[in-house]
Amino acid sequence: MGAYLTRRLTYTILILLAASLLIFSLYAMTPGDFITGNIKLSPERKAELRELYGLNKPLLERYLTWMNQAFHGNFGYSLDKQQPVLTLFNQYIWNSFLLAIVSTFLTWIIAVIIGVIAAYRQYSWFDTLVMIFIFAAMSIPSFFIGLFLIKILAVDWKWLPPGGMLTTGSNATGIAYIREVVQHMTLPVIVMTLLGVGSLTRYFRSNMIDVIKQDYIRTARAKGLSERRVLFTHALRNALLPAITLVGFELPALFGGSLIIERIFNWPGIGQLYMQSFTVRDYPLLMGFTMFIAVLTVIGTLLSDILYHAADPRVKL
């Protein structure tokens, strides 16, 4: 295990260095930037700011300067917000994490339960409805679902607030504050859960159909075990093994998968901050966020490999 971790960490460093060079180069070679796109600045002021921020230096020199600062915990300075990138991340990222962790938990619980029942009752009316729901959830765009639920639940029926994290002008604290946050996050969590539960249910259903046809499942039934124990103890445990590989994608998706949702519901998360920065071409913040996603992807992949080996020792690292 020690040799494997050492080797993988070496690969991880090399991958992140290559990713950082690619990310920096793509943003640096993109036409225009925050300064040239600002029509309020005179040509002299633009030249002065480009000199101040080092934007007129060669690409490689700018990359080495950025990497040297990154190694010291400085990922640059947001030109639009006029704050350090890490400071902005700390302000917004926890709001995104709150949405993501709740929706991910609900998605996995619902997908596992529905997937197991649909596989057990294959070709039944329940399985047919599940498949229709799955393809509908995978086909309908996220912005359409979000706007539709806002129209029905917020505008027409007035059950839930249409967006934001708190009511405008609210000074709620304690339990009242928690209640407001829960009310405002309900709609985006519903949309994110609906978008994720479709593909994941299909994945679990397919795995369960393959597993319940195995010989050891028939042996468990022949021993007189209850059907619930056969399904949720023997079959589900083995059907979940391939799902461990999804951990590598779930980790970056916690923060990168809700960009459009946060924009639709005006949720003050890292996704909306990214979209705002993309609009004004605030490249230091965009690079910091993209590198953050790259780090999470590499860590998630390593974590999924280790967890898969822990769950099934037959798999060699």
Side-chain angles (χ1 to χ4, degrees):
M1 177 67 77
Y4 171 78
L5 289 177
T6 302
R7 187 169 64 253
R8 283 298 299 269
L9 288 176
T10 303
Y11 292 157
T12 297
I13 294 174
L14 295 176
I15 291 172
L16 290 178
L17 287 175
S20 67
L21 178 59
L22 177 62
I23 293 170
F24 189 92
S25 300
L26 288 176
Y27 280 124
M29 292 186 295
T30 302
D33 53 34
F34 178 79
I35 296 175
T36 57
N38 193 336
I39 61 176
K40 298 180 180 180
L41 300 177
S42 63
E44 294 77 13
R45 182 56 178 168
K46 289 182 179 180
E48 181 182 352
L49 291 176
R50 293 183 66 84
E51 176 72 24
L52 177 64
Y53 292 116
L55 297 178
N56 56 349
K57 295 180 180 179
L59 175 64
L60 183 59
E61 181 180 351
R62 290 160 56 190
Y63 170 73
L64 293 176
T65 301
W66 182 72
M67 282 301 299
N68 180 56
Q69 294 175 346
F71 281 128
H72 291 84
N74 178 15
F75 283 88
Y77 198 81
S78 172
L79 303 180
D80 180 40
K81 303 295 184 181
Q82 291 296 301
Q83 294 185 54
V85 171
L86 289 183
T87 300
L88 290 170
F89 278 9
N90 189 51
Q91 292 176 3
Y92 288 90
I93 205 166
W94 301 112
N95 297 335
S96 296
F97 181 76
L98 177 63
L99 274 187
I101 198 66
V102 174
S103 61
T104 301
F105 175 78
L106 294 176
T107 299
W108 278 70
I109 293 296
I110 296 172
V112 168
I113 295 175
I114 296 179
V116 170
I117 298 175
Y120 178 67
R121 298 180 177 178
Q122 190 179 10
Y123 304 128
S124 66
W125 64 269
F126 179 82
D127 185 39
T128 302
L129 290 178
V130 168
M131 293 305 297
I132 294 175
F133 167 77
I134 287 174
F135 287 112
M138 295 173 63
S139 302
I140 301 176
S142 59
F143 65 87
F144 177 83
I145 299 177
L147 295 176
F148 177 77
L149 290 181
I150 289 176
K151 174 66 169 61
I152 300 299
L153 299 180
V155 178
D156 293 342
W157 296 348
K158 303 185 185 304
W159 286 358
L160 295 168
M165 189 173 178
L166 291 171
T167 304
T168 303
S170 173
N171 295 317
T173 57
I175 300 299
Y177 174 82
I178 296 175
R179 187 184 299 111
E180 276 200 29
V181 172
V182 170
Q183 289 175 348
H184 282 77
M185 69 182 289
T186 299
L187 274 180
V189 165
I190 290 175
V191 176
M192 293 176 66
T193 303
L194 288 176
L195 293 174
V197 77
S199 57
L200 199 59
T201 300
R202 184 168 176 263
Y203 187 82
F204 281 122
R205 177 184 176 275
S206 301
N207 288 343
M208 281 295 297
I209 290 175
D210 292 336
V211 168
I212 59 180
K213 295 179 181 179
Q214 301 298 319
D215 292 337
Y216 64 87
I217 297 298
R218 286 193 288 267
T219 301
R221 285 171 174 161
K223 290 181 178 180
L225 297 179
S226 64
E227 198 66 20
R228 177 176 295 183
R229 186 173 180 184
V230 170
L231 286 177
F232 290 96
T233 301
H234 293 76
L236 180 59
R237 180 178 179 182
N238 290 278
L240 284 175
L241 286 178
I244 294 177
T245 58
L246 298 177
V247 175
F249 301 99
E250 288 291 338
L251 195 57
L254 288 176
F255 302 98
S258 58
L259 300 180
I260 299 178
I261 303 301
E262 291 183 3
R263 187 70 170 177
I264 292 174
F265 292 99
N266 196 29
W267 184 265
I270 193 69
Q272 183 169 191
L273 178 66
Y274 176 84
M275 296 296 289
Q276 293 173 354
S277 303
F278 195 84
T279 302
V280 298
R281 300 180 182 181
D282 189 358
Y283 291 143
L285 197 149
L286 295 175
M287 286 187 294
F289 177 79
T290 310
M291 272 304 300
F292 177 70
I293 297 298
V295 171
L296 289 182
T297 302
V298 174
I299 293 176
T301 304
L302 174 61
L303 183 61
S304 64
D305 291 343
I306 295 175
L307 290 177
Y308 197 94
H309 172 72
D312 190 356
R314 295 173 299 177
V315 179
K316 294 183 179 181
L317 291 174

